[in-house]
Amino acid sequence: MSESTVSGLGRREILKLAAVAGATFAGAGVLASASANAAEDGLSLKGKRVAISATGTDHYFDLQVYNAQIEEVKRLGGEPIAVDAGRNDGKLIAQLQTLVAQKPDAIVQILGTLSVIDPWLKKARDAGIPVLTVDVGSTNSLNNTTSDNWGIGKDLALQLVSDIGGEGNIVVFNGFYGVTPCAIRYDQLVNVIKYFPKVKIIQPELRDVIPNTVQDAFTQITAILNKYPEKGSIKAVWSAWDIPQLGATQAIAAAGRNEIRTYGVDGSPEVLQLVADPKSPAGADAAQQPAEIGRVAIRNVAKLLAGQTLPRETYVPALLANKENVGEITKKLGIG
Amino acid sequence: MSADIQFGSLPAITGDDAPRSKGNLAAAALRFGSLLAFASILVIFSLTAPYFFTIGNIGNVLGQSAIAGVLAIGLTIVLIAGGSNVVTGGIDLSLAANMGLSAAVYASLIQFGYGDATAAVGAILTGLAIGAVNAAAVVLAGIVPLLATLAVMNIVAGLELVLTQNTVVPASTDLLTAISTSDGFGIPVLAYILIGFTAIVAAIVQYTPIGLRLYAVGEFPDAARAAGLPLKRLVAGAFVASGLCGGIAGILSVSYLSGSTTGSGEMLLPVVVTALLGAVFSGRLVPTITGTLISALFVGFLVNGFQLLNLPSTLVSGVQGVLILIVVSATTLLRKREI
C-alpha cells in the first residue's frame, strides 16, 4: 500500500471500515448471546462445587466477573468456592494448590499471567479437575470465556487512527504484554498502524504498573508532556486497559493539553463518564461486559459437567464507547 | 534450645530472683499458651475443614510457607544479632526486595541462555552482595538498621525494575521443575527444602558458639564487648547471612512462580510479622529459628484453613494483625515486668 493511498483513506473511510467491522462483530455477538440464553434452559450445578480463583478484584472488570460468577453458581444450585489472590502471584499459586487439594468439580481461573499460572493449571488438570478460564488462553484450559480481543484491539486502533486523522505521534502504555488479552490488543494496534506510516509510537513505550496505576500514569504522562511541550506533537495516548487511561486523561487535562485524546479498554464507569464529558480528553473506551463474561463461563461449567463439548473459546461481545455513542452504551451496560 | 538454657544460667543477668521467676512463669505460660493455641487451631481445622488433615494438604502448607519461611529465618538472624528493639534494634527491610532482585537475576540469566548453575550462583551472589551493602551501611557507616535497610530496599527494588522493566520474566529449567514438583506422597519438594534449611540454620544458630555469640551481641552488647567478642563482625555477618537467605528465597520463588514476577515487596510485612511472631514460640520470648518456622507454619495453616472452610481470604490479614498485636503487647508487658 503506497503512502498516497493511505493518506487518501480519510477519516470517513476509516470510520466506515470500523462501522462495518463493528456491525459484523455485533452480529456475531448477538448470535453468541442468543445461543447462551437458549442453552440456559435446563442447566444445573446442583450438588457441584465450583472453584472461582480470581487474580485480584481491585479492578472493576475482575470484581464484576468474580461477583457474577459467585451469584451464577448459586443461582444454578451449586456451591461456589471463591478465592481472591489480591494481585499477589505467590498467593494465587498457593490458593490454586489448596483448591486442587479440595477437589472441586471444576476450577474457573479469572485472569493471571500465563507463564506463572499455567504449570499449576496443568497440575489441577492432571489431578482430574476440569479447568476453565476467563481471559487467559491457556492450553490447559478446556474453555476460555473472553471478549474478542482481536476485535477490541482493531476497533480501538481504528477509532484512534480515525480521530487523529491518520497521522501523528502516539504514546503507548505496554506494561503487561505477558497478559494475553493485553498482548492481543497491543498487537492489533501495531497491525492497524502498520498501514498508517505517519502514525508513530513514541519510543520508549511506557510501562503501566499495578498498584498505584492511576498516580503512576499521571506522573509518566506529565513527564512526557514536558518532554513534548508543543501542541500537536502528541496526538493520542493508548493503553491496553482503562485505568492507565484514567491517569493519563487527568494528566492531560491538568496540563491543559486537551488536544490529545486517550484510548483504553474495559468500560470502567469512571472512564466512561470521562468519555461522555465533551471537554474531557478521553476519546474512546472499549467496554467489555464482565458480568456477562462471568455468567457465561459458569454456564459453560454447567454444560461441561452435563457432558456437552465446549468450544475452545467463547466470545462475549464488547461495545466500543466513543464520544458519539457513549450514552447509549452506558445504558446498555446498566451503569448509565 | 540450648541458647535459651545457657542464657538462663548466666549469673550476671539473673538479678532479683522473685520477679524474674514470675516473669519466666508468665513467659512460659505465653509460650505454652501460644503452642496450645496453635495446636487447638490445627485440631479445629482438622475437625471442621474438609481435606485439612491430609498428608497432601499439610505438605502443601509446608511448601507454600517455604519462601516466606526462608526469608523470615534470614530476618530472625538479624533480629538475634541486632537485638529486638523495634526502632534501634536489628531489622532487615531489604529482604523481600532482595528476593525479588535475586529472582530477577536468576530468571534473566536463564533468558540470556545460561544454565541453572550460573543462574543459581548469580542469584546467591546478588543476595550476598545486598547483605554486604546492608552490613557496610550499618557497621561501617553506623546507620540505624531500620534506615539503612530501608534505603537499600529502595535501591534494590529500583534495580529490579531496571532489570525486568516491571514485567514477568518467565523461566523454565529442569532444576526449577524439580523444585516445584511433589513426591509420591503429594508432598512438594519445597516442603523438604524448608525443613532441611531450618534444621541447618537452627543447628548453627542455636547449637554452636557462633549462635550463642549472636544472641550475646544482640541482647547484651556491652557485656559482649567486655567479653572481647567482635561485635561489628558478628552484626555484619548476620546481615550477610540474611542476604544469603534472600538469594536462596529468590531461587525458590523463581521455581514456584515459573519465573520472576513483580510485587516481591509485598512479602515484606508478612515476613516481618512471621519473624516477630516467632518470638512467642520460644522459652524466653526471644527470636529463635525454630520459633520462626512454627510461626511461618502457623500463618500458613491459618490461611489454608480459612480457604478450606470457604471463608473470605480478606479476613486473613486482619486476623494476622490481631495476632501480632496480642503477641507484641504480651511480650512487651512481660519484658517490662522482667526489668
Side-chain angles (χ1 to χ4, degrees):
Chain A
M1 193 182 279
S2 75
E3 200 166 312
S4 63
T5 44
V6 172
S7 53
L9 200 64
R11 195 187 157 114
R12 187 166 295 188
E13 277 79 0
I14 297 166
L15 270 185
K16 248 191 231 166
L17 259 177
V20 171
T24 325
F25 188 35
V30 168
L31 278 177
S33 60
S35 61
N37 289 336
E40 198 187 325
D41 299 327
L43 284 181
S44 167
L45 285 170
K46 218 162 184 185
K48 305 288 185 193
R49 290 155 62 247
V50 180
I52 298 161
S53 161
T55 308
T57 52
D58 45 351
H59 184 212
Y60 175 78
F61 178 91
D62 324 324
L63 188 63
Q64 291 283 309
V65 175
Y66 185 70
N67 286 340
Q69 291 197 332
I70 295 172
E71 275 165 34
E72 190 70 3
V73 171
K74 285 184 188 158
R75 198 181 69 81
L76 295 176
E79 184 198 339
I81 308 172
V83 286
D84 169 9
R87 298 239 172 261
N88 180 323
D89 284 334
K91 199 169 163 191
L92 178 62
I93 299 306
Q95 287 179 342
L96 278 174
Q97 278 182 327
T98 309
L99 283 179
V100 172
Q102 285 175 273
K103 296 190 171 55
D105 293 289
I107 294 178
V108 183
Q109 170 63 40
I110 307 168
L111 281 160
T113 304
L114 187 61
S115 66
V116 175
I117 56 171
D118 216 25
W120 303 93
L121 294 184
K122 183 174 185 302
K123 281 180 194 187
R125 217 181 148 182
D126 290 345
I129 303 165
V131 174
L132 285 84
T133 47
V134 168
D135 252 4
V136 208
S138 161
T139 47
N140 294 304
S141 154
L142 296 171
N143 166 273
N144 181 38
T145 305
T146 176
S147 297
D148 175 0
N149 285 299
W150 285 272
I152 286 179
K154 176 208 65 186
D155 288 350
L156 191 71
L158 284 172
Q159 177 82 48
L160 183 155
V161 171
S162 156
D163 288 353
I164 65 172
E167 61 179 294
N169 290 330
I170 62 173
V171 174
V172 167
F173 279 102
N174 188 20
F176 297 100
Y177 196 79
V179 178
T180 314
C182 296
I184 295 171
R185 293 166 199 167
Y186 174 82
D187 289 345
Q188 288 294 71
L189 172 75
V190 173
N191 279 339
V192 167
I193 63 168
K194 194 163 71 182
Y195 297 100
F196 298 88
K198 289 184 178 169
V199 177
K200 293 251 154 43
I201 295 178
I202 291 178
Q203 296 297 334
E205 290 170 343
L206 304 183
R207 302 207 176 270
D208 35 338
V209 299
I210 292 175
N212 295 328
T213 313
V214 177
Q215 295 90 320
D216 178 77
F218 188 100
T219 315
Q220 292 201 58
I221 291 297
T222 305
I224 212 154
L225 291 180
N226 289 335
K227 201 173 157 194
Y228 292 85
E230 254 174 71
K231 285 216 170 205
S233 53
I234 295 173
K235 290 285 188 67
V237 176
W238 180 98
S239 51
W241 53 310
D242 59 10
I243 301 303
Q245 184 190 6
L246 189 59
T249 308
Q250 290 169 354
I252 290 166
R257 295 280 296 271
N258 283 29
E259 84 278 5
I260 304 170
R261 290 283 179 98
T262 65
Y263 298 83
V265 181
D266 276 342
S268 306
E270 58 269 40
V271 179
L272 288 176
Q273 220 165 27
L274 286 174
V275 174
D277 177 356
K279 284 184 210 145
S280 162
D285 188 12
Q288 305 193 70
Q289 303 194 60
E292 183 60 15
I293 288 176
R295 284 190 288 268
V296 169
I298 295 301
R299 280 182 223 139
N300 277 342
V301 171
K303 284 181 195 170
L304 179 79
L305 296 180
Q308 294 185 36
T309 315
L310 295 177
R312 184 70 195 75
E313 300 249 314
T314 307
Y315 293 127
V316 174
L319 314 159
L320 182 67
N322 56 28
K323 292 276 185 205
E324 284 78 40
N325 68 1
V326 61
E328 206 179 302
I329 283 175
T330 41
K331 214 179 281 170
K332 242 186 225 170
L333 292 169
I335 49 176
Chain B
M1 265 160 240
S2 72
D4 286 355
I5 298 160
Q6 302 227 26
F7 269 118
S9 64
L10 278 177
I13 53 154
T14 315
D16 187 3
D17 267 357
R20 175 139 187 97
S21 63
K22 210 175 176 186
N24 277 345
L25 201 70
L30 184 60
R31 184 201 180 188
F32 288 113
S34 39
L35 279 175
L36 202 69
F38 186 15
S40 41
I41 282 173
L42 289 185
V43 171
I44 291 169
F45 278 148
S46 302
L47 294 177
T48 55
Y51 312 104
F52 182 80
F53 196 66
T54 56
I55 292 178
N57 187 56
I58 292 168
N60 263 347
V61 175
L62 281 168
Q64 288 162 10
S65 310
I67 298 169
V70 168
L71 286 179
I73 284 172
L75 182 57
T76 306
I77 299 173
V78 173
L79 285 176
I80 291 171
S84 52
N85 186 309
V86 177
V87 181
T88 57
I91 189 91
D92 184 355
L93 296 180
S94 69
L95 256 174
N98 178 338
M99 178 199 76
L101 182 62
S102 302
V105 167
Y106 194 108
S108 302
L109 284 172
I110 296 291
Q111 287 276 313
F112 292 145
Y114 292 97
D116 275 319
T118 316
V121 169
I124 297 284
L125 285 180
T126 305
L128 285 173
I130 295 165
V133 174
N134 279 329
V138 171
V139 174
L140 297 181
I143 308 169
V144 177
L146 188 76
L147 296 178
T149 56
L150 186 67
V152 172
M153 175 188 94
N154 283 318
I155 298 169
V156 170
L159 285 175
E160 188 196 339
L161 275 181
V162 172
L163 185 59
T164 65
Q165 296 292 308
N166 203 25
T167 53
V168 173
V169 183
S172 164
T173 66
D174 293 344
L175 175 71
L176 296 177
T177 313
I179 296 176
S180 66
T181 49
S182 303
D183 67 2
F185 303 105
I187 299 173
V189 173
L190 277 171
Y192 293 107
I193 293 178
L194 176 65
I195 299 297
F197 181 80
T198 311
I200 294 169
V201 182
I204 297 171
V205 172
Q206 280 161 239
Y207 297 96
T208 66
I210 295 179
L212 187 60
R213 285 176 194 149
L214 280 179
Y215 275 103
V217 168
E219 291 197 50
F220 316 105
D222 292 337
R225 191 177 290 117
L229 290 182
L231 251 71
K232 286 187 172 178
R233 232 185 294 160
L234 283 166
V235 171
F239 278 105
V240 174
S242 160
L244 176 66
C245 291
I248 294 171
I251 299 176
L252 300 184
S253 124
V254 173
S255 153
Y256 194 56
L257 302 175
S258 319
S260 111
T261 73
T262 55
S264 56
E266 284 170 30
M267 284 286 280
L268 177 62
L269 285 181
V271 164
V272 171
V273 166
T274 304
L276 291 177
L277 196 64
V280 85
F281 296 109
S282 88
R284 288 189 315 114
L285 299 177
V286 291
T288 58
I289 303 300
T290 40
T292 300
L293 174 71
I294 298 174
S295 158
L297 294 181
F298 182 65
V299 174
F301 276 115
L302 210 62
V303 173
N304 177 264
F306 272 38
Q307 184 180 332
L308 290 176
L309 281 176
N310 217 351
L311 292 171
S313 44
T314 37
L315 276 179
V316 175
S317 54
V319 170
Q320 262 173 278
V322 170
L323 278 175
I324 191 80
L325 203 60
I326 292 173
V327 168
V328 171
S329 43
T331 43
T332 312
L333 286 174
L334 282 169
R335 284 249 167 81
K336 268 189 193 150
R337 208 191 295 177
E338 273 185 50
I339 294 163

